Amino acid sequence: QTLPNSSETVTEVRVEDDRTGLSVETLKRAFADNLFYIQGKFPQIASKNDFYMALAYTVRDRLLRRWLNTAETYSRNASRTVAYLSAEFLMGPQLGNNLINLGIYDQVNQAMQELGLDLRELLEEEEEPGLGNGGLGRLAACYLDSLATLEIPSLGYGIRYEFGIFDQDIKDGWQVEITDKWLSAGNPWELPRPEWSVEVKLGGHTEKRADEHGNFKIYWVPNQVVKGIPYDTPILGYKTNTANTLRLWKAEAVESFDFYAFDSGDYLGAVHQKTVSENISKVLYPNDNSAQGKELRLAQQIFFVSCSLKDMMRIMEQQKVPLEQFPEKFVIQLNDTHPSVAIPELMRLLVDEYDMPWEKAWGITKQSFAYTNHTLLPEALERWPIGLFGKMLPRHLEIIYEINKRFLDEVRMKFPDDTDRLRRMSLIDESGERYVRMAFLACVGSYSINGVAALHTELLKKDVLHDFYEMYPEKFNNKTNGVTPRRFMVLSNPRLCRLLNSKIGDEWIKNLYELKKLEAFVEDPEFRRQWREMKLEIKQDVADYIKKTTDIDVNVNSMFDIQAKRFHEYKRQHLNVLHIITLYNRIKANPDIDITPRTFLFGGKAAPGYYIAKLIIKLINSVGDIVNRDPDVRDRLKVVFLKDFNVKFAQRIYPSADLSEQISTAGKEASGTGNMKFALNGAITIGTLDGANVEIREEVGAENFFLFGLTTEEVYALKKEGYQPWEYYQKDPELKLAIDRIASGFFSHGDPKLFKPLVDHLLGNDQYMLLADYRSYIDTQDRVSEAYRDIDRWVRMSILNVARMGKFSSDRSIRDYCEDFWKVQPVNIELKEYVQATA
Ligand code: 475
């Protein structure tokens, strides 16, 4: 190749075309080029991972122009921006989603085919960034997708954990945790931005000293400083030019500390210091819906929050926006309380470092933050022991005391002579060991407080945050969760999409309410036949996968009955198991019984320290071992535990479900989002009146939803009157037999000890009221079995579920946030060839 030296040759060999061109030919050339120049391989010796990397770089090149144009446009306009602060972003694999959002899936598919490669295999190669536990982290990822698709200027801020959520293996029926080394093969989607590194102080003490003008000021003398390095990942919108940024912080040692230690000859001390610093972003805490009062966890929180706030201030300075205009430039959304130390940190920055008067700083702070609550479970509400908090963040603790003092004055003013209220509402819990109550801090420091489903928001107002609702009713609002149809329909379920597009076009991808148009076809027998065939093909794929990974044969004509989510007692996977055992017992009592064949699929991880949750996993596998092998069952029931449930796996499994299990105790599941993903892929829900189930049922119609169980009010009332699980056990012979078989060792090779802790929980206090809901659940499951036998009726229900799920797009959620209180406008991005070289 000759270098272009005249204007004629330039058009022919423009290098940039290989970086931007979308034709199959250009894609092939760029792919070969990246394989050679980036991976340093020729095709004959390249591994699958080399091919994946070459393709990933090819795609990344094609989105860089969008990314830089977007950044340049936001910067030039100093656009109002949403800063979404979250300790977790459960992004899932990037390649496929970027192909969809760039609109080049088909071209790339063809290019790979022509090179003798299989795109689907390359997609499988990607190690997914599992930087989250479950619902909260995945919601953050769906919201980034919608923000970009709606062209809203936004930044996601979080932590670049070196090890994300552990990989799950199953050994002898038990969960085994394996370190998630997602970065070991390299991450082609991120760009480090070391020039925007910031320093974060930790520990030490505060001093009151006079400054150079003789004014007394508080100085924080830390005993540790760490450096945060931002790593940026582009977030493409669907068929727009917008590419926003996810900015994740990696912790490193600050050089000066090393130099100091080296100077003093303390070589090992310096290395130790380096390890301590880097530990901060080392690993994601693997607990879902439960708080861990660990020092390192608090260090993670202040670390990413402080880095992010300083980054916002850098951006303002660069765009010449005065600091006073912080609330106009940024709205900071707190994804639960995990980033809520941002409130005292912003106060500290404004008051201590920018010398702003307290009142002015507080005015800015109160107008900048909005808080989303994701759970009512008491064990998940973050509280930090004062001692631990003060040791790590002595200045922040002083600031919280000051905020609290002024806040309690306000409470006293509004509710005179109500000392019990003051005690209840104090940011400091003084009932025993003293704690900082982070949810209360978030309420006081934010202008908006929202729950994630209508019922959840009502319960927040009635219960957990009732006093705050009385104090600040105007702050409370609901934002029902949603999920992105790009990843959870277009990418994960191409068969469904083809069928939808053939009937109603593809507008639904950007406007999910368009699915309504499907209702016109529900009476068309040919369409129902296609729908049924489609489902069968998807189930066959999953059956092949099950055969490959577990060697279990499943019948694709059986009902695929799926529960896939984190393991937690409140989610009641063991209620599902009681149903399986009940069906099995019926077969044992009468082997010729006419039963609707079912395949029970489970997926999900348990927190490594949550013994009962792990025992439930063991129980599922133990029951499966018996049921799957018993000749009396004659393959009418199969129980399969699919290990290592993650985003990639979720995408595979949701489309195959006939029945979606959403069976939490009423009042416990804040919203749920798996419930939405299943229904959007044509599953019918069996569920309680909990979280977003309530709204799903409202949308799809009661006749297309299998409801069972106590309501939230009934749960409360029963608790109050003294719930006796033992009575339910005594009164219901099927329930008694199911529990007795677990307790006797029937599923544990005759060992009655193995599942005793679980049985004791159920017959003891049964906190989540499985026994109270058992009969209603079983009867409803019997109706489900009946309905499935009328396959035509089932298909109608399935179609109507999809048709009426439009509300649950994360685009709708994000629009609600924007219009209600973010007050941020879309910014159109014009694609220029290059961003101007001159400033
Ligand atoms: C809810 N995680 C779902 C989802 O809104 C809801 C809490 C403390 C410490 C670590 N992780 C957590 C959660 O609380 C969480 O994931 N909550 C979930 O948020 C999105 O759909 O009902 O359980």
Side-chain angles (χ1 to χ4, degrees), residues 266-314:
D266 184 9
Y267 177 72
L268 292 177
V271 174
H272 176 68
Q273 184 55 49
K274 192 169 156 58
T275 313
V276 168
S277 299
E278 287 174 359
N279 267 344
I280 291 179
S281 58
K282 189 64 72 180
V283 61
L284 167 75
Y285 275 88
N287 309 303
D288 185 75
N289 266 295
S290 108
Q292 269 237 313
K294 288 277 161 41
E295 205 171 304
L296 181 61
R297 170 78 173 177
L298 183 59
Q300 291 184 337
Q301 295 183 351
I302 186 65
F303 166 71
F304 94 89
V305 154
S306 179
C307 287
S308 307
L309 286 173
K310 288 168 187 164
D311 195 57
M312 291 176 224
M313 290 182 170
R314 173 187 63 76

Side-chain angles (χ1 to χ4, degrees), residues 652-704:
R652 184 194 292 278
I653 207 80
Y654 290 130
S656 74
D658 293 306
L659 185 67
S660 156
E661 299 271 352
Q662 306 300 336
I663 60 178
S664 52
T665 317
K668 298 294 179 191
E669 189 71 272
S671 161
T673 42
N675 47 4
M676 301 168 188
K677 294 163 196 165
F678 277 113
L680 276 166
N681 284 277
I684 321 294
T685 306
I686 179 165
T688 48
L689 280 180
D690 202 13
N693 294 354
V694 178
E695 290 159 75
I696 291 175
R697 179 166 172 269
E698 244 165 51
E699 294 292 309
V700 305
E703 67 287 4
N704 299 305

Side-chain angles (χ1 to χ4, degrees), residues 624-641:
D625 278 347
I626 301 294
V627 171
N628 297 347
R629 285 185 299 123
D630 190 329
D632 284 349
V633 173
R634 281 188 257 128
D635 288 343
R636 285 169 293 178
L637 305 179
K638 282 281 160 67
V639 182
V640 182
F641 187 96

Side-chain angles (χ1 to χ4, degrees), residues 304-421:
F304 94 89
V305 154
S306 179
C307 287
S308 307
L309 286 173
K310 288 168 187 164
D311 195 57
M312 291 176 224
M313 290 182 170
R314 173 187 63 76
I315 291 169
M316 289 179 66
E317 197 175 303
Q318 185 234 316
Q319 297 175 4
K320 304 193 167 48
V321 182
L323 202 53
E324 288 70 28
Q325 286 172 29
F326 194 96
E328 285 80 57
K329 172 64 196 170
F330 286 108
V331 48
I332 303 178
Q333 189 66 38
L334 301 173
N335 201 23
D336 215 287
T337 55
H338 318 150
S340 61
V341 279
I343 291 164
E345 172 68 356
L346 182 59
M347 284 301 287
R348 188 190 67 78
L349 289 167
L350 296 176
V351 173
D352 292 2
E353 304 206 352
Y354 289 91
D355 292 318
M356 205 179 267
W358 179 278
E359 287 74 14
K360 189 167 170 194
W362 184 239
I364 288 175
T365 300
K366 268 193 312 187
Q367 285 180 73
S368 299
F369 289 100
Y371 159 53
T372 304
N373 173 290
H374 292 269
T375 176
L376 301 161
L377 298 190
E379 65 268 33
L381 298 179
E382 291 192 299
R383 315 178 304 161
W384 293 103
I386 293 284
L388 187 158
F389 197 97
K391 192 174 140 222
M392 171 104 45
L393 300 172
R395 180 58 185 142
H396 297 77
L397 186 57
E398 291 174 1
I399 289 171
I400 289 171
Y401 283 148
E402 183 65 24
I403 294 173
N404 195 34
K405 192 184 97 192
R406 292 163 183 252
F407 166 64
L408 291 178
D409 284 345
E410 224 182 294
V411 178
R412 218 174 272 113
M413 201 96 77
K414 183 149 180 175
F415 303 97
D417 313 312
D418 192 345
T419 46
D420 198 58
R421 184 182 294 268

Side-chain angles (χ1 to χ4, degrees), residues 555 557-559 595-599 635-637 788-789:
N555 169 8
N557 290 307
S558 68
M559 182 199 309
I595 223 167
T596 304
R598 291 206 198 203
T599 299
D635 288 343
R636 285 169 293 178
L637 305 179
Y788 193 74
R789 286 167 171 254

